[in-house]
Amino acid sequence: MMIGMVLVSALIGMAAVGMTLALSLPMWTVVISYPTVCSLTLLLTAALWNIRSRQTVRADQPLRA
């Protein structure tokens, strides 16, 4: 699962780099955007996964999609 979160954060980081290059932003912005976006995405996905894993379904509650 951890590898999936790292790959997703890397893909989103690459998309951020592509967006900064497409917008013709300065090169220092491109260099800073990749690790920043990757770190924040990984932190967010880990936090969301942790919150979802703590939720329990009671036996009298129907499952919802």
Side-chain angles (χ1 to χ4, degrees), residues 12-40:
I12 292 175
M14 284 187 247
V17 167
M19 190 65 95
T20 54
L21 287 173
L23 293 173
S24 299
L25 293 173
M27 195 53 128
W28 64 269
T29 309
V30 175
V31 172
I32 291 175
S33 69
Y34 181 75
T36 305
V37 170
C38 284
S39 299
L40 291 176

Side-chain angles (χ1 to χ4, degrees):
M1 190 63 210
M2 185 67 181
I3 293 172
M5 288 191 286
V6 170
L7 288 175
V8 166
S9 67
L11 288 174
I12 292 175
M14 284 187 247
V17 167
M19 190 65 95
T20 54
L21 287 173
L23 293 173
S24 299
L25 293 173
M27 195 53 128
W28 64 269
T29 309
V30 175
V31 172
I32 291 175
S33 69
Y34 181 75
T36 305
V37 170
C38 284
S39 299
L40 291 176
T41 304
L42 186 61
L43 180 68
L44 181 66
T45 55
L48 289 174
W49 186 261
N50 189 19
I51 290 169
R52 285 193 67 189
S53 68
R54 288 185 181 185
Q55 293 177 349
T56 58
V57 176
R58 295 185 311 196
D60 60 339
Q61 241 181 356
L63 292 176
R64 295 183 186 164

